[in-house]
Each structure stands twice: as C-alpha cells, then as structure tokens.
Amino acid sequence: SYAAPIVRSVSPNHLPPVPHSATGRYNVTILGSNFGSDPTTAVEASVGASRCSVTYFTSDSSVSCTVEGGTGGALNVLVAVSGQQSAATRPLFSYDSPRLAALGFSTGPSTGHP
C-alpha cells in the first residue's frame, strides 16, 4: 500500500464561471504529493462535485486537470491514485461570481411592454 495523495494547492485557484475558449473548458494544475511515479498510473481528480474530464499525470507532485465552467466558491480539490483518494482539503478553488455585461433593451416604454 502507498501513502494517500495529498493536495496542497491548485493553479489557478479561481476562474470565471464561463470559459472564454471555444472548448468550454479550463486547464488547472493540482500540486501536492504522492501522485504516483508512473505516467500510466490511473489518476483522477475533481473540483467540487465535478470530476475532471481529463487528468494528466505530470509528476509525483503535479497533475493537470481539465474542468468545465461552473459555479460555487470554497470548493475542495481531490485526487485519487489507483483508487486511493486524498483527504478532503480546506477549500482551494472557486468560480468567480457572474457579472452582468449588458441589458437587452436600452430604450422602450416605461410600462415594460414593447
């Protein structure tokens, strides 16, 4: 048996709720330890309740993870190596609050009907 993975940080640690890229996904790097020593080892990661769609082994202390846009703050980041999961962390990641960019009608009747 090996030591359980330990998650220490994630970079970036916050992102907008909706990606600006055409893929609709973000790449994040998870740093810690005990992520394995073999690139063929099964590594999975999750941010909050969302499992990463793709997880790449980088080293014993780093994995890259592809996540969808989302919502929520104070989210845990977990890594599982060959089925052995890291302990819950203090919240390490959050999605930024949505921001209103524009309103639909700039002119019209004050009654609200067109």
Side-chain angles (χ1 to χ4, degrees):
S1 158
Y2 296 98
I6 298 171
V7 175
R8 290 195 168 80
S9 65
V10 61
S11 179
N13 65 357
H14 68 94
L15 289 166
V18 179
H20 298 291
S21 70
T23 66
R25 297 181 181 104
Y26 294 112
N27 290 320
V28 297
T29 300
I30 302 168
L31 301 174
S33 59
N34 304 329
F35 295 164
S37 59
D38 182 353
T40 63
T41 300
V43 178
E44 297 178 351
S46 61
V47 175
S50 300
R51 189 171 157 198
C52 296
S53 59
V54 178
T55 304
Y56 298 101
F57 172 89
T58 307
S59 72
D60 178 62
S61 60
S62 176
V63 294
S64 294
C65 165
T66 302
V67 295
E68 305 289 327
T71 59
L75 301 174
N76 288 323
V77 177
L78 301 174
V79 171
V81 178
S82 296
Q84 188 172 11
Q85 185 167 300
S86 60
T89 63
R90 62 179 165 54
L92 294 173
F93 185 84
S94 64
Y95 289 100
D96 298 337
S97 298
R99 295 182 187 194
L100 181 63
L103 294 174
F105 295 100
S106 60
T107 61
S110 61
T111 60
H113 300 286

